Amino acid sequence: MSYYKINNLEQYFKHYNKSIREPRKFWGKIAEENFVWYQGWDKVLDFDMGEAQVKWFTDAKVNIVKNCIDRHLAKRGDKTAIIFEPNNPEEAAQHISYNDLYDRVSKMANVLREQGIKKGDRVCIYLPMIPELAVSVLACARIGAIHSVVFAGFSASAVASRIIDCECKMVITSDGAFRGNKSIDLKGIIDEALEKCPSVTKVLVAKRTNTAVNMKEGRDQWLQPLVDAAVPNCVAEIMDAEDPLFILYTSGSTGKPKGMLHTTAGYMVQTAYSFKNIFNYEENDIFWCTADIGWITGHSYILYGPLLNGATTVIFEGIPSYPDFGRFWEVIDKHKVTQFYTAPTAIRSLAKENDEWVDKYDLSTLKVIGSVGEPINEEAWHWYNDHVGKKKCPVVDTWWQTETGSIMISPIPFVTPTKPTYATLPLPGIQPVLMDEKRNEIEGNQVVGSLCIKFPWPSMARTIWGDHERYKETYFSAFPGKYFTGDGALRDEVGYYRITGRVDDVVIVSGHNLGTAPIEDAINEHPAVAESAIVGFPHDIKGNALYGFIILKETGEYRDRDNLTREINEHISSHIGPIAKLDKIQFVSGLPKTRSGKIMRRILRKIAEGDFSNFGDTTTLLNPEIVDEIKSNRV
Ligand code: WTA
């Protein structure tokens, strides 16, 4: 019996119990039977949760790209690896076979080597969802360079801070990006960012929009001529199991983004294993995940997970509403997609349009549909199940994080049952627990608590780039010996998990993880602003939206509040990106603070939600009178 594929409920429990009793044996067997290694491991696992030190498959040697591409060539060389569906439906889709992908990645990897990139160097990738993005990521991994993909919706200063933090030597970008009926000047954003980034000596520019851009002499080069001139084969770098694979930035509760570092072998093993089971993947399926490769979902389930399984994966450049609200469904129909994986915010925005948009397409190829990024509400779950899955496709509500690398809690289609709004059961090998305020593990069912994971798993992030102390402090200090997710959850009467949302200062807006601290930092830089506090409040489409409480300086220069509101949002847009704009801004004369000076966000959250019923204990407030003022001026 293979541990790699779970076929029925009995097998799930068997595997699950075994994975808890003998985690090393469990993961060891999966690793051994399903990948190609240059050299096996010494120990499957070596760890110290207290120090936040975890190593999987110690001393093993492997290259993830050889596992994603080379080993498939004999059997699947002509099979399509990537279907590229452009923003404009009139532009032809591209089918890139495993042979083509091998050639493109090898040449790109040779370009990187010729440009002086070596194992361990950091390369920032700031590209739209075009094949060059996938090829660049895989080329880095082939030669052991650490990729740091930055979502191409981030502003110049957000990109700059990420480049500076991990001292990238190179940036790979494009002239521009298409997004619906707009085009975005990516190269201009990079030029602005690089004014502050002395570590970057080379910029490679892919052509996408054919717009005129500035090319800086000695630094910038067009990508295509270099690729055309490159030699074809590229010997893959032999990587240690724990060598870094990539850095991906995520928001935290301070202004500085956290560069989550993922390493090679453990990430490879769990992304492949989870992909196979959670999407019930079978040969010849066409898998489509609508996330951007700039987020972890795209890393693990557009690229690595599918390619490790020799699958066909769709890369979609566009947006769900262009040229109309039927685009997702048209693409499923056109490419005969069998698994579709998207975010609740996209589901909600399409569910509010006329059902004809979805009903007119043939979605009969679909087998499994998935959701990720935030809690999916009951209404959206049912709409998705009824109109997209036609009640015959299990909805996999997958819970996981940038930090966890792969899916952790999710139904397994046709194996474990689904339940609306529930992520249900942990994947074998994953040990979630709920903790109470006194840091005790909560036993039994029908309970609520803080979600922790009490045993290491292969694809967990190993550290925060350059700041292991922060990693330890953020994830391993609240509940000693355990990894704290930052989420709250409940466990129902049969033991299914439902994630209730963040319990820290991160707000998830349209599936994007936004820390309130960096937004506050950006606002506070505006000359009129003295202080600010941002909280999330429920929003029909976005899940959450942002509400800003802002104290102005007493200079009186900025009397026009409408103008100021606009300026503050422009400021946020240029410092972080348009995704972080505030839906509501309220100017206040003070903020509710504890005696130790901490803003009581709990109260602000309730006011933003319009729930004035029970503010809880306000006796520790330094200025309780401010609460009434804020309440009565709520916008
Ligand atoms: C939230 C995305 C409820 C959660 C893969 C988590 C979810 C954060 C779900 C991580 C889900 C993700 N149900 N909440 N199925 N999936 N989340 O790092 O709060 O962008 O901590 O990773 O998204 O977001 P991230």
Side-chain angles (χ1 to χ4, degrees), residues 297 373-375 397-402 487 499 502 508 513:
T297 308
E374 58 183 307
D397 177 358
T398 63
W399 175 84
W400 59 297
Q401 309 178 297
T402 304
D487 284 330
I499 315 305
R502 303 291 307 190
I508 302 190
N513 225 332

Side-chain angles (χ1 to χ4, degrees), residues 255-277:
K256 201 169 172 243
K258 296 177 288 196
M260 303 313 307
L261 182 75
H262 283 279
T263 58
T264 306
Y267 177 82
M268 172 181 84
V269 169
Q270 197 181 332
T271 48
Y273 170 74
S274 56
F275 175 78
K276 173 83 176 166
N277 284 291

Side-chain angles (χ1 to χ4, degrees), residues 460-478:
M460 65 194 287
R462 301 298 194 261
T463 191
I464 292 174
W465 181 262
D467 198 348
H468 194 70
E469 267 314 300
R470 187 177 178 199
Y471 179 66
K472 218 168 108 179
E473 169 66 28
T474 311
Y475 302 104
F476 295 87
S477 68

Side-chain angles (χ1 to χ4, degrees), residues 47-58:
F47 74 101
D48 175 347
M49 288 288 252
E51 288 303 310
Q53 297 286 0
V54 176
K55 289 183 181 151
W56 284 88
F57 312 108
T58 60

Side-chain angles (χ1 to χ4, degrees), residues 300-354:
S300 303
Y301 299 105
I302 295 178
L303 294 181
Y304 289 114
L307 297 177
L308 285 164
N309 282 280
T312 301
T313 179
V314 177
I315 294 185
F316 175 50
E317 187 187 25
I319 54 174
S321 55
Y322 177 81
D324 57 46
F325 296 107
R327 188 68 193 277
F328 272 2
W329 324 123
E330 185 223 325
V331 173
I332 293 175
D333 188 346
K334 174 174 172 190
H335 294 299
K336 313 221 173 324
V337 170
T338 46
Q339 289 94 343
F340 178 67
Y341 190 30
T342 195
T345 184
I347 298 168
R348 285 189 297 264
S349 74
L350 294 170
K352 82 175 177 13
E353 301 301 329
N354 199 318

